[in-house]
């Protein structure tokens, strides 16, 4: 294949490097002398930092991208986005500073006061630093996205894993994580001071906030499932079980990445000269082609996960494989694309309402299922909640837009693949293991 390095591919590569780094850190920590409690403390550190920032950071970055103009040679918009994100990060850091001690036992990480400072500093630096790769994206610097990602995540591996391998304890691993965050923050400031005009604009702030608020609300509702699951598990179990759940509660990234990329790539076709029928047929054809690859790949992972998890991590994380296998079933909803129709036809308010419904279903089922099915019940609740959301969106597309699901999905093929994966899941989880 002749693959031209575009900004899209570069940003995808950046995200894959990020995911691979998280996996490698988990693998090496599991094989190090760190105990389950210490690994659980690291997972809680990352979990808590993400839970207070993921929704508004996602919304503000998505709000920035369509507002940015190439004629803005002084990059006023970019600097003002940095200011807005920095203010919210400072507030989040203060909140996390006072809450952190509740989450970390002294025997896992040492002095609780130092952990509060490390978490606050990490959050203050790493959240705004997320703008760096998007600056390169806006400037169409594809190679720099890849180089920056490679340097950044190799450095993260070194700073976090060296203390773990040398037996210095989880406190030193967290300090390495903070040093990595400071490095990324300094890289962003280098870009700001060298290439960006540092000028405040009240007009831009109003524009950015106005565009981003709906996106923030959408990200909060639709992206909170993993944090809801985590909080429910943590409220019922100790750090060791929380670590087992977190190691398994990882959606197959290739499915998520390719499904989202496909959905976004189809959106411009709604504004083209093609008829709606032609666009719907393209979605149906290309989504079916994508399913031919992703469903078998998910099935292969499902069959091998119980062998891979003890091999990659250790025997303590064998139960994580079952949680991971449940999350693999999310492909049954990921490969349905009613949201693409609604976004393309500018009916996004319906998506917001469906996201609220999905969150309510997820919370209700998670609280219920955890009582009799444990951490696997929480994972099942997430799968059912996502299916509920896509089913509701498909019903709305048909009732409001008069577009039946058969117009844009190969339902028979999707059902065959889904039933095959569910049958394989039953055999693996209830017959073999």
């Amino acid at each position: 294949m002749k693959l031209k390095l575009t900004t899209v591919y570069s940003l995808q590569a950046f995200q894959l490097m990020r995911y691979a780094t998280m996996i490698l850190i988990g693998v090496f920590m599991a094989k190090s002398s760190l105990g389950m409690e210490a690994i659980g403390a690291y997972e809680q550190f990352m979990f808590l930092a993400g839970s207070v920032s993921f929704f508004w950071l996602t919304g503000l970055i998505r709000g920035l991208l369509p507002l940015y103009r190439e004629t803005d040679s002084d990059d006023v918009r970019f600097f003002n986005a940095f200011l807005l994100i920095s203010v919210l990060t400072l507030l989040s850091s203060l909140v996390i500073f006072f809450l952190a001690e509740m989450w970390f036992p002294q025997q896992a990480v040492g002095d609780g006061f130092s952990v509060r400072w490390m978490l606050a500093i990490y959050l203050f630096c790493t959240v705004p630093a997320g703008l760096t790769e998007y600056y390169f994206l806006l400037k169409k610097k594809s190679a720099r996205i890849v180089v920056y990602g490679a340097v950044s995540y190799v450095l993260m591996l070194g700073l976090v894993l060296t203390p773990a391998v040398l037996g210095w304890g989880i406190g030193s691993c967290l300090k390495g994580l903070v040093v990595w965050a400071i490095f990324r923050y300094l890289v962003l400031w280098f870009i700001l001071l060298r290439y960006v005009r540092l000028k405040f604009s009240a007009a831009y702030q109003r524009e950015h906030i106005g565009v981003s608020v709906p996106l923030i609300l959408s990200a909060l509702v639709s992206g909170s499932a993993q944090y809801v699951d985590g909080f429910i598990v943590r409220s019922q179990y100790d750090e060791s079980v929380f670590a087992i759940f977190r190691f398994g509660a990882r959606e197959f990234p290739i499915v998520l990445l390719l499904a989202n990329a496909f959905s976004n790539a189809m959106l411009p076709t709604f504004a083209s000269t093609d008829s709606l029928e032609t666009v719907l047929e393209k979605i149906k054809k290309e989504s079916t082609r994508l399913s031919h690859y992703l469903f078998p790949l998910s099935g292969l992972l499902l069959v091998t996960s119980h062998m891979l998890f003890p091999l990659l991590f250790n025997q303590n994380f064998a139960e994580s494989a079952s949680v991971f296998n449940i999350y693999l079933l999310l492909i049954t909803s990921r490969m349905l694309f009613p949201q693409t129709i609604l976004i393309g036809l500018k009916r996004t308010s319906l998506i917001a309402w469906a996201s609220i419904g999905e969150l309510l279903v997820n919370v209700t089922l998670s609280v219920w299922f955890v009582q009799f099915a444990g951490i696997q019940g929480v994972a099942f609740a997430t799968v059912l909640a996502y299916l509920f959301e896509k089913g509701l969106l498909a019903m709305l597309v048909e009732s409001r837009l008069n577009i039946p699901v058969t117009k844009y999905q190969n339902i028979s093929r999707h059902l065959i693949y889904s039933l095959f994966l569910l049958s394989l899941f039953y055999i693996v989880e209830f017959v073999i293991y």
Side-chain angles (χ1 to χ4, degrees):
M1 294 177 60
K2 295 182 179 179
L3 182 63
K4 181 181 179 181
L5 187 62
T6 65
T7 53
V8 175
Y9 293 143
S10 298
L11 195 59
Q12 289 173 339
F14 184 93
Q15 296 300 332
L16 286 175
M17 283 187 279
R18 175 181 175 275
Y19 184 84
T21 300
M22 300 301 134
I23 294 296
L24 286 173
I25 288 176
V27 169
F28 279 93
M29 278 190 170
K31 293 184 176 296
S32 71
S33 59
L34 295 175
M36 289 289 290
E37 192 175 16
I39 297 174
Y42 174 84
E43 289 293 330
Q44 286 183 118
F45 188 98
M46 300 296 288
F47 171 78
L48 196 56
S51 64
V52 297
S53 61
F54 80 96
F55 56 98
W56 55 262
L57 179 62
T58 300
L60 289 175
I61 288 179
R62 288 178 177 174
L64 166 66
L65 298 179
L67 293 176
Y68 189 87
R69 303 287 185 271
E70 291 189 23
T71 56
D72 294 342
S73 57
D74 54 6
D75 292 316
V76 173
R77 282 183 166 85
F78 186 85
F79 176 68
N80 279 268
F82 165 76
L83 286 180
L84 183 56
I85 290 174
S86 296
V87 169
L88 291 176
T89 303
L90 178 60
L91 295 176
S92 299
S93 299
L94 292 174
V95 171
I96 216 72
F97 179 80
F98 292 106
L99 293 180
E101 197 169 5
M102 299 167 48
W103 283 71
F104 295 98
Q106 286 188 333
Q107 64 268 27
V109 294
D111 182 23
F113 180 78
S114 65
V115 174
R116 290 198 300 173
W117 278 104
M118 284 191 288
L119 187 53
I121 294 171
Y122 171 79
L123 186 64
F124 180 80
C125 293
T126 198
V127 173
L131 282 169
T132 302
E133 55 266 28
Y134 289 97
Y135 177 82
F136 294 140
L137 176 70
L138 292 169
K139 293 297 183 180
K140 300 179 181 178
K141 303 292 185 181
S142 303
R144 293 188 184 184
I145 297 175
V146 176
V147 172
Y148 171 68
V151 172
S152 177
Y153 289 114
V154 167
L155 182 64
M156 183 183 185
L157 284 172
L159 291 173
V160 175
L161 291 182
T162 298
V165 173
L166 296 179
W168 294 350
I170 194 63
S172 297
C173 296
L174 296 180
K175 289 175 183 176
L177 192 64
V178 172
V179 171
W180 173 74
I182 293 173
F183 163 78
R184 283 174 24 100
Y185 191 61
L186 292 176
V187 171
L188 177 61
W189 266 107
F190 173 80
I191 293 173
L192 291 171
L193 294 175
R194 182 162 184 176
Y195 301 109
V196 178
R197 184 179 177 186
L198 310 184
K199 178 183 177 181
F200 176 78
S201 172
Y204 171 71
Q205 294 291 350
R206 288 192 297 269
E207 182 185 23
H208 191 187
I209 292 172
V211 171
S212 300
V213 165
L215 298 173
I216 292 173
L217 294 175
S218 176
L220 174 62
V221 174
S222 63
S224 60
Q226 60 174 313
Y227 298 103
V228 170
D229 293 348
F231 280 119
I232 291 173
V233 171
R234 185 62 185 88
S235 68
Q236 299 288 325
Y237 300 99
D238 60 17
E239 293 83 4
S240 298
V241 177
F242 182 80
I244 291 172
F245 176 79
R246 286 280 290 170
F247 269 56
R250 305 174 189 271
E251 186 174 355
F252 188 26
I254 294 178
V255 171
L256 179 62
L257 179 66
L258 295 183
N260 286 342
F262 166 74
S263 180
N264 292 336
M266 293 305 301
L267 293 178
T269 62
F270 285 89
S272 67
T273 57
D274 293 339
S275 66
L276 180 59
E277 290 289 333
T278 302
V279 174
L280 296 177
E281 186 59 33
K282 286 182 180 179
I283 294 175
K284 183 175 183 178
K285 179 180 178 181
E286 293 302 316
S287 63
T288 302
R289 183 186 60 83
L290 198 57
S291 296
H292 292 332
Y293 299 99
L294 295 183
F295 271 98
L297 188 56
S298 297
L300 178 62
L301 277 176
L302 198 153
V303 170
T304 58
S305 62
H306 280 281
M307 295 180 288
L308 292 176
F309 266 77
L311 181 64
L312 291 176
F313 303 107
N314 60 48
Q315 196 59 40
N316 292 325
F317 293 98
E319 190 179 351
S320 298
S322 293
V323 177
F324 178 71
N325 282 348
I326 297 171
Y327 270 75
L328 284 176
L329 299 179
L330 286 172
I331 189 177
T332 57
S333 58
R334 290 296 184 194
M335 297 309 297
L336 297 173
F337 298 98
Q339 77 281 3
T340 307
I341 313 298
L342 291 170
I343 296 172
L345 298 178
K346 302 178 178 62
R347 301 294 295 272
T348 54
S349 61
L350 298 176
I351 297 177
W353 284 110
S355 297
I356 294 173
E358 178 266 320
L359 180 61
L360 292 175
V361 171
N362 188 27
V363 173
T364 303
L365 293 182
S366 293
V367 173
W368 181 23
F369 287 0
V370 75
Q371 303 300 323
F372 60 87
I375 59 176
Q376 295 182 25
V378 176
F380 274 121
T382 299
V383 173
L384 293 176
Y386 274 82
L387 280 172
F388 167 81
E389 180 190 25
K390 288 298 180 72
L392 179 58
L393 288 175
M395 291 172 58
L396 290 172
V397 168
E398 183 164 1
S399 62
R400 301 294 180 88
L401 303 176
N402 197 28
I403 301 175
V405 67
T406 53
K407 289 286 187 180
Y408 57 91
Q409 295 283 167
N410 189 332
I411 289 298
S412 59
R413 188 63 56 88
H414 184 83
L415 286 175
I416 291 172
Y417 278 138
S418 298
L419 290 173
F420 170 77
L421 195 65
L422 287 170
S423 300
L424 197 60
F425 173 83
Y426 178 82
I427 294 172
V428 170
E429 292 298 325
F430 296 100
V431 177
I432 299 178
Y433 291 97

